[in-house]
Amino acid sequence: MSKRAKGKLSMDGGGDLQSNPFDALSTEGLSKKAPPVASTAPKKVKPKSKGRVEVRREKAGRGGKTVTTLREFPTHLPLKELEAMTFELKKTCACGGTLKGRAIELQGDVVDRVIAQLEKRLFKPVRAGG
């Protein structure tokens, strides 16, 4: 045997590995009670935000017309979901609008209604601009 192998156990299935160190233990004297259970009171979990959205009222370059824009949607939202959200916002705000790229444009000053709807959808709306 080499010098390195002197202090090591044999891993070839010898008799040393067949003994169970827990054989000598007994369950006598142990209680049969169930382990303690954590409190069953429901915990209030704050729903996770879907992300930050900039809500801005703009007039510049639109012939004096006011437009509410929603920008900076999280990139994990698919365009299909943004299209559906545009349709729902147009219905709830009673206005026209469109989806341009990843920005929603709604006709008129509907910032307050849009913010309320975004909060219901678990977004974090932020008023941008002046």
Side-chain angles (χ1 to χ4, degrees):
M1 220 183 236
S2 70
K3 289 182 181 180
R4 295 182 103 189
K6 281 185 183 177
K8 300 197 178 199
L9 294 174
S10 170
M11 301 303 277
D12 59 358
D16 292 343
L17 295 178
Q18 300 299 323
S19 65
N20 185 352
F22 300 107
D23 282 340
L25 297 178
S26 70
T27 58
E28 191 176 314
L30 295 177
S31 66
K32 304 260 184 198
K33 284 174 69 174
V37 180
S39 67
T40 57
K43 294 181 181 178
K44 291 184 179 181
V45 178
K46 184 179 176 184
K48 189 173 179 182
S49 173
K50 289 185 178 179
R52 179 179 182 272
V53 178
E54 287 184 6
V55 180
R56 177 178 295 202
R57 189 176 70 86
E58 298 178 356
K59 276 175 87 171
R62 301 182 191 276
K65 307 286 184 180
T66 303
V67 175
T68 302
T69 60
L70 289 75
R71 297 179 184 212
E72 304 298 324
F73 282 99
T75 56
H76 62 81
L77 287 176
L79 283 177
K80 294 271 187 193
E81 190 172 333
L82 289 178
E83 289 171 358
M85 188 184 315
T86 303
F87 182 75
E88 291 296 320
L89 287 172
K90 286 175 15 179
K91 280 174 54 175
T92 57
C93 296
C95 66
T98 186
L99 177 67
K100 290 186 177 177
R102 294 189 62 84
I104 297 175
E105 292 184 357
L106 299 172
Q107 296 173 357
D109 184 5
V110 290
V111 174
D112 296 329
R113 287 184 250 170
V114 167
I115 287 177
Q117 288 298 316
L118 288 174
E119 287 173 346
K120 284 182 186 177
R121 294 172 182 259
L122 302 178
F123 285 97
K124 184 179 176 187
V126 176
R127 286 181 189 252

